[in-house]
Structure formats: C-alpha cells, structure tokens
Amino acid sequence: MMIATKAWVEAQFPLIKHQGSLVYLDSAATSQKPDQVINRISKYNRQEHANIHRGVYDLSQKATMAYDQVRQQVKYLISARRDEEIIFTKSTTESINLISYSYGTPMLSEGDEVVLSIAEHHSNILPWQQLVKSKNAVLKYLPVDIEGKIMESGIHTVITEKTKIVSVTMISNAFGTLQPIASIIKRAHEVGAVVVLDAAQSVPHKKVDVKALDADFLVFSSHKMFGPTGVGVLYGRYELLEKMIPYQTGGDMIEYVEEQTSTFAPIPQCFEAGTPNIEGVIGFGEAIRFIEQIGYDFIYEEEMRLTKYAYDQLSCLNYIQIYGPLNIEDRGPVISFNVEGVHPHDVTTILNQDHIAIRAGHHCAQLLMKRIGLSSTCRVSFAVYNTKEDINRLIESLKKVRKWLGYES
C-alpha cells in the first residue's frame, strides 16, 4: 500500500481534474473513475478483447485469467473464505433479486416471515414483496427512529421464530445512518434466519469483513467504488449457495445439455448465465487495486473529515434543516437536508447554475421519507476526491438560493 496524499488522489480523477468548475457531490449515486481504471478498460478493449471460459486460444485464455482474478480480489477485499463465494451480477439490485429468487423461492413456505427495515432502498423492498406474494408469506419491517436508525427495541420483537430471511442496509443511502448490524445478525441467527446485507454504501468507504460480521449474504456495486457501471457482487456462504436454484439459464452455466434435461455448472458459474460484462469486471479489479493502493483508512478519514466540515458549515445556516444522525460517527459520508421554503428540486436546479451537482428527491427510500414526514430532500455525498473548497462553494451557492426566490436571507 502506497502512502497517499490528498493532492495525488485528486489528480487521479480526470473528470474532476479537467472540469475545474465542477463540484461533484453525488458519489452515493455513482462515483467518478480514476485514470488507472479507465486505462485498464481501454487496454482490455484495445489489446485483450475476447470472450471468456470458451476458447482455448491465447487471447481467450488471457481474458479468462484477468476476469477470474477479479473474483479472487473481491474475496480478499471482503475477507470471504473462498473464490466460489463471489458471484458477479450487473448491480446490487440484481444481486438482491438473485438471492430473493434463488434462495427465497426454495426456502420460503406459507406463513414464513421476511423482515426488512423502514430505511431500505426500494431495491431491497420490491424483490421481497414479490417473493412473499408468490409464497403466501409475511413481510415485516423493523422500525426506525427520527434519525433513520433501526431501533434496537424492535429487533427482538419483529424478528421471531417464524423469520427466515432478514435483509437490511448497513448504511442508509438517504440519510447516511449507520445501522446496528451486529445486533440484527445476532438476533436473526438466534432464530435460525439468514441475513442479507446491502453494503452498497459501505464497501466503498471502509473495510467490510464478512467473516467478522458473520454475514450470510452481502451485496454491493462496482460503480460506487471508483469502478465501471454494470458490475455487482453477491457474496454468499458456500453452504447457502449450494441450496440455491439457478436465477437464469443459458450459456456458460451448464455442464451438459440433452434434449429434455440439462446439468448445471458448479458454483459460481451456475449463477452467471451468458456472456458477462468482461471489461467491467476487469475494470472493477483495477478499482479494487486503487482502493488498496491508497488504503481504506485514508479513504475513511478523508471522507469523514469532509462530512464533519460540511455538517458544521450547513448547521451555521439557520434556514437549513439537516436529517439523520447528529453524531458524525453514526453516519457515512452522506448528508440530507432541506432549505426552508424551497423545494429540493429547485435547490438542485439553482446549484447546477454554479456547476454544483447534488441529488434531490426521495432517494428510492419512500418508506423512510414517510416515516420522517418528508416527500424529498437534498442530498450531498462525498468521496475521497472531494475537498473543503467544494464544500465552501456549496455553502456560498446555498446562500444565494433563497435570494433567487425572493427571500431576504
């Protein structure tokens, strides 16, 4: 691991470097890519492009080796036990759908319970709604407090002996709230349930160890951690993956095909039908190298330093309402807020005139918004390439928002 400096890291991101007027504060939606990721994808397309797992010629073998190596990189990144526990999908969303269908379908019976939380992204709600409907099962929700945190008091009452699956986010994408994952996993395992962890907002920012967590399933995406879009990860305990049925069928997931029957390839290939996003996975491998070069400690410290600075600066504006945890240590690098008297979409439109990119809306978390009594918020989210100057420009632009709409301050 290299000794990273802030200046060196900032210089690695061409979009940030070449669009000097842009302040990009939407990394929770998708992060920017460093040069080495972009260059690695270009090299594959220029010099190494071939399909994988099908050819004995050199070009195909080289592409296969590069692709398969990334599975091992992911294993080490999250401290999984074996390469086969890593399945590549196209997104966190597809990973959850795969678990819901492939594990939930054979394992869930009428009257069984699936438990989510009110703080979930829609991608961690809709697949389970469809599953329980098809199985005549029951969907329940862990309650959250005003900061969007799952309430410890609800964990033991909502998760019962009938619970078979618990699926929760580690960090809220809407408010940045860190959830009590250890307590949830402990309770779920006490009643024999498995836990699915949505780590889309966690793995990009700090080390996640699936063995230390005692995690059953964990899902996340490349594009939120400096990698390409179209690549997701599903980690699952091998003994659980063995109980799952194929999610899709077709090429590259079979052993033998007869006229009336077929046999499937072993794990993980049986869950990866068709030609995958080869260049995306290889680019993702380079994104992992970038994270390892600068280190999770550097990433976390820089991002939380920026989050605290932004929180403090926003708090000084008496017309700003901030949502989520008051304690910075209880949140990730995300801040949701509203400007008094101004709709969030108007805020983002005005900020865009100053080349400041933030997100506005319900952030695919309508249940959480309803719990807090909101329809939408403004959201800023930070990555290691952001600076205090970015935040200063945000604050100065927010000061102008109300004036644009006729307010005195």
Side-chain angles (χ1 to χ4, degrees):
M1 184 176 68
M2 65 176 289
I3 299 177
T5 65
K6 183 68 172 176
W8 181 88
V9 170
E10 291 171 29
Q12 303 311 301
F13 293 85
L15 187 143
I16 302 295
K17 183 168 54 178
H18 297 307
Q19 295 195 32
S21 64
L22 174 68
V23 174
Y24 185 78
L25 299 174
D26 196 23
S27 294
T30 193
S31 60
Q32 298 300 326
K33 301 179 186 66
D35 277 313
Q36 68 188 70
V37 171
I38 297 168
N39 294 340
R40 183 66 187 93
I41 296 169
S42 178
K43 181 183 177 183
Y44 165 77
N45 282 313
R46 290 176 181 275
Q47 302 177 22
E48 304 171 5
H49 178 63
N51 214 329
I52 61 170
H53 301 155
R54 293 183 174 95
V56 296
Y57 55 91
D58 290 346
L59 200 60
S60 177
Q61 291 293 302
K62 187 174 183 180
T64 297
M65 288 179 62
Y67 181 92
D68 289 343
Q69 183 183 28
V70 182
R71 200 184 306 276
Q72 188 174 73
Q73 287 180 265
V74 177
K75 178 189 75 171
Y76 288 125
L77 182 76
I78 62 173
S79 301
R81 296 165 183 80
R82 49 197 294 183
D83 295 359
E84 296 90 341
E85 292 180 321
I86 308 302
I87 297 166
F88 290 125
T89 65
K90 72 172 185 292
S91 61
T92 300
T93 298
E94 185 178 49
S95 295
I96 296 172
N97 274 273
L98 196 161
I99 298 169
S100 173
Y101 177 82
S102 297
Y103 181 83
T105 299
M107 302 304 294
L108 210 63
S109 301
E110 181 176 350
D112 287 342
E113 297 174 351
V114 174
V115 172
L116 314 178
S117 87
I118 292 296
E120 299 311 310
H121 189 284
H122 296 163
S123 294
N124 199 26
I125 296 175
L126 273 67
W128 304 111
Q129 287 180 341
Q130 297 303 307
L131 175 65
V132 298
K133 187 183 298 183
S134 69
K135 304 295 287 188
N136 201 21
V138 177
L139 188 59
K140 296 169 65 178
Y141 289 90
L142 294 163
V144 302
D145 61 21
I146 197 68
E147 294 185 347
K149 185 173 183 177
I150 296 169
M151 299 169 66
E152 293 272 0
S153 60
I155 293 173
H156 278 74
T157 56
V158 177
I159 301 174
T160 71
E161 298 294 334
K162 293 184 177 181
T163 303
K164 303 302 178 186
I165 301 170
V166 179
S167 190
V168 292
T169 184
M170 296 182 71
I171 300 178
S172 165
N173 73 295
F175 289 173
T177 311
L178 274 62
Q179 301 296 2
I181 297 303
S183 297
I184 293 168
I185 292 175
K186 182 175 184 294
R187 173 57 178 166
H189 288 173
E190 286 175 353
V191 300
V194 302
V195 180
V196 181
L197 297 178
D198 176 356
Q201 301 294 338
S202 302
V203 175
H205 306 292
K206 62 190 301 185
K207 173 67 177 177
V208 173
D209 184 324
V210 295
K211 292 199 296 286
L213 283 170
D214 198 17
D216 299 308
F217 293 103
L218 183 132
V219 298
F220 57 99
S221 292
S222 158
H223 74 98
K224 296 183 189 293
M225 48 192 297
F226 314 126
T229 56
V231 178
V233 171
L234 188 167
Y235 157 81
R237 292 181 188 268
Y238 192 80
E239 60 269 27
L240 297 177
L241 296 178
E242 287 183 305
K243 299 177 181 179
M244 292 165 55
I245 58 177
Y247 177 56
Q248 296 175 322
T249 52
D252 208 33
M253 56 80 63
I254 53 87
E255 281 187 333
Y256 299 103
V257 175
E258 304 291 345
E259 287 189 12
Q260 302 298 325
T261 61
S262 301
T263 56
F264 302 131
I267 300 167
Q269 280 77 22
C270 62
F271 300 113
E272 297 180 3
T275 299
N277 183 357
I278 303 169
E279 66 184 72
V281 170
I282 290 173
F284 179 38
E286 198 62 38
I288 293 173
R289 288 191 187 91
F290 177 77
I291 289 172
E292 292 172 340
Q293 283 173 353
I294 60 178
Y296 268 124
D297 288 345
F298 180 87
I299 291 171
Y300 180 77
E301 289 170 8
E302 283 295 315
E303 290 178 345
M304 295 315 297
R305 179 179 63 84
L306 290 167
T307 304
K308 184 179 188 309
Y309 181 73
Y311 190 97
D312 290 344
Q313 296 301 306
L314 287 166
S315 298
C316 292
L317 303 179
N318 59 14
Y319 45 82
I320 296 284
Q321 174 68 51
I322 301 175
Y323 307 102
L326 296 175
N327 188 344
I328 292 295
E329 294 182 356
D330 292 334
R331 67 163 70 231
V334 173
I335 301 176
S336 273
F337 64 92
N338 275 329
V339 178
E340 182 182 342
V342 187
H343 193 281
H345 290 156
D346 292 330
V347 175
T348 57
T349 300
I350 295 171
L351 292 184
N352 184 57
Q353 303 304 308
D354 286 340
H355 306 286
I356 299 172
I358 75 168
R359 184 58 62 98
H362 53 62
H363 314 299
C364 294
Q366 287 179 300
L367 295 186
L368 178 59
M369 292 294 166
K370 289 176 182 177
R371 164 66 179 86
I372 309 301
L374 301 168
S375 61
S376 60
T377 68
C378 302
R379 185 188 73 184
V380 293
S381 51
F382 310 106
V384 72
Y385 42 70
N386 288 121
T387 65
K388 282 189 174 181
E389 178 56 31
D390 292 341
I391 296 165
N392 291 338
R393 283 185 55 191
L394 168 70
I395 297 300
E396 290 307 308
S397 191
L398 283 171
K399 289 177 181 178
K400 295 188 291 185
V401 164
R402 283 165 56 89
K403 292 181 181 179
W404 276 44
L405 297 176
Y407 293 97
E408 292 185 2
S409 62

